[in-house]
RNA sequence: GUGGCUAUAGCUCAGGCCGGUUAGAGCGCCAGGUUGUGGCCCUGGAGGCCGUGGGUUCAAGUCCCACUAGCCACCCCA
């Protein structure tokens, strides 16, 4: 084997595909109930879109994007996340001119050039939901209710919804000043990275995992204590609605997000048994992004959930499928007799299996058993001569003889559903 | 990008420290044990460039180096 899949990119196959399909089916059902419509955007976008939206100083843009020049010299990037594309599409098609709010979901691959590990791949897949055109707190709550329902339907136990408010352009500068002031008195306790972060993005110091930084941050000022009146009201209302809907959540004043465009409500769903990459879903409000990309800032919020990570921790099991019928034909004559019948049954929607080689009946029975077929149709020399075939129920081993002329009708009854 | 561990049959893994005939097991696969009947059991069989490349040695799956990939952690995030 010389050519292999490239690093961090995996073939999804077998039972894993069944799990993905279940996740997607459940997600579509939940999204539908909340009025989200599907949007499929291209995987490639102009690099500028992500540079402007995600934030020039973020790790994603600085070192994780798959960026290259195409044949006409344009700088293109494989999307590292979905939000920017959804907003781009929303503005490009002037959807904001239509009555809103507008609710979209999209499902597909994202690309980030990171070092792979558990729950982290270079091509990974997300379920993404976005609401555009509504600045109010009710959507925030609705979105989290939706996420909660999704996680429940997939039977993720040991997940926790964590929420916070990051403030807005009005109050965040005050908070930022307070935070920098606080840490400046204890830079000796911070790790090297955090000393750098203090300059670039002081909020990130809060979720550093190193021991010293955690200790130093223990009494750090919290964003929620510095919220302006509008942000505080917004946050209170979100929490009130969550409580009204009995959605369990934990407030974490340290929850900050890695992308620059977030304001006010932010949230993450944390899975207990996922190791270091423990966020199965994350999102928040990003009102300023729409304006940044040239539209009117009239409210935007969304979240993304990682399909690979959901699959790792969900309790729900996909149903296993199996053939309704296995055809054991013995000899060329019998095979030719059933061949058109098999095609006809398949056209009626039954899953019918049949071996292509001339194998012993025993071998064919073993195969039927392996496939967990409901029934086996046995047809050989003596059945053809007698004008009757045998149908054996695999569950209890019972057999019955059926007139060849009645076979099609009899076998059709095997169809499930 | 950094560090640690790992790479042997389709799968899960022994063998490695202490180099030496034909590299093993379980599961899976194929066949037989019924003349035309699955699961359990028994017997037999197929299947390995021991990740790739280089080095040490009379001799390398085993020791050394590099590379690649995987896992775990850092980082980052879904």
């Amino acid at each position: 084997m010389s050519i292999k899949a490239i690093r961090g990119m995996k073939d999804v196959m077998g039972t894993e595909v069944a799990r993905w399909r279940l996740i997607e089916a459940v997600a579509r059902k939940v999204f539908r109930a909340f009025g989200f419509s599907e949007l499929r955007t291209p995987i490639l976008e102009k690099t500028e879109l992500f540079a402007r939206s995600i934030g020039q100083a973020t790790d994603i843009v600085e070192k994780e994007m798959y960026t290259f020049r195409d044949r006409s010299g344009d700088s293109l990037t494989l999307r590292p996340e979905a939000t920017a594309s959804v907003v781009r599409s929303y503005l490009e098609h002037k959807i904001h001119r239509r009555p809103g709010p507008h609710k979209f979901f999209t499902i597909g691959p994202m690309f980030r050039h990171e070092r792979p590990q558990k729950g982290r791949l270079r091509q990974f897949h997300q379920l993404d939901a976005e609401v555009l055109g509504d600045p109010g707190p009710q959507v925030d709550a609705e979105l989290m209710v939706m996420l909660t329902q999704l996680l429940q339907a997939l039977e993720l136990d040991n997940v926790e919804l964590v929420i916070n408010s990051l403030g807005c352009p009005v109050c965040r500068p005050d908070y930022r000043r307070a935070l920098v002031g606080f840490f400046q008195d204890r830079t000796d306790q911070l790790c090297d990275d955090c000393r750098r972060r203090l300059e670039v993005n002081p909020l990130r110091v809060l979720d550093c995992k190193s021991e010293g930084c955690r200790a130093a941050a223990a009494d750090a000022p919290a964003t929620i204590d510095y919220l302006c009146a509008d942000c505080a009201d917004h946050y209170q209302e979100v929490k009130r609605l969550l409580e009204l809907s009995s959605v369990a959540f934990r407030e974490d004043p340290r929850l900050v997000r890695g992308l620059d465009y977030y304001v006010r409500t932010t949230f993450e769903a944390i899975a207990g048994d996922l190791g270091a990459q423990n966020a199965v879903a994350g999102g928040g409000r990003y009102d300023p992004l729409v304006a940044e990309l040239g539209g009117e800032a009239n409210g935007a919020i969304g979240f993304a959930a990682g399909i690979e990570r959901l699959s790792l921790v969900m309790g729900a099991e996909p149903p296993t499928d199996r053939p309704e019928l296995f055809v054991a034909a013995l000899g060329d004559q019998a095979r030719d007799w059933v061949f058109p019948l098999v095609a006809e049954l398949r056209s009626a929607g039954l899953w019918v299996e049949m071996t292509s080689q001339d194998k012993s009946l025993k071998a064919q029975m073993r195969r039927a058993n392996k496939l967990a077929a409901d029934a086996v149709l046995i047809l050989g020399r003596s059945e053809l001569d007698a004008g009757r075939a045998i149908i054996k129920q695999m569950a209890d081993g019972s057999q019955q003889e059926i007139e060849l002329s009645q076979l099609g009708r009899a076998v059709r009854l095997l169809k499930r559903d």
Side-chain angles (χ1 to χ4, degrees), chain A residues 277-351:
Chain A
Q277 312 303 318
N278 61 0
V280 287
R285 185 161 273 287
Y286 53 90
D287 299 343
L289 175 60
V290 181
E292 178 63 34
L293 293 178
E296 290 165 41
N298 55 355
I301 183 168
F303 73 78
I307 293 179
E308 286 87 351
R309 291 183 187 179
L310 289 171
S311 177
L312 281 171
V313 290
M314 72 182 191
E317 285 294 336
T320 54
D321 200 7
R322 58 192 197 284
E324 272 111 347
L325 182 70
F326 185 95
V327 173
L330 299 159
D332 290 347
Q333 220 184 327
R335 191 204 57 200
D336 286 356
W337 196 93
V338 286
F339 196 75
L341 175 65
V342 167
E344 191 188 320
L345 293 168
R346 286 171 170 167
S347 146
L350 278 85
W351 177 1

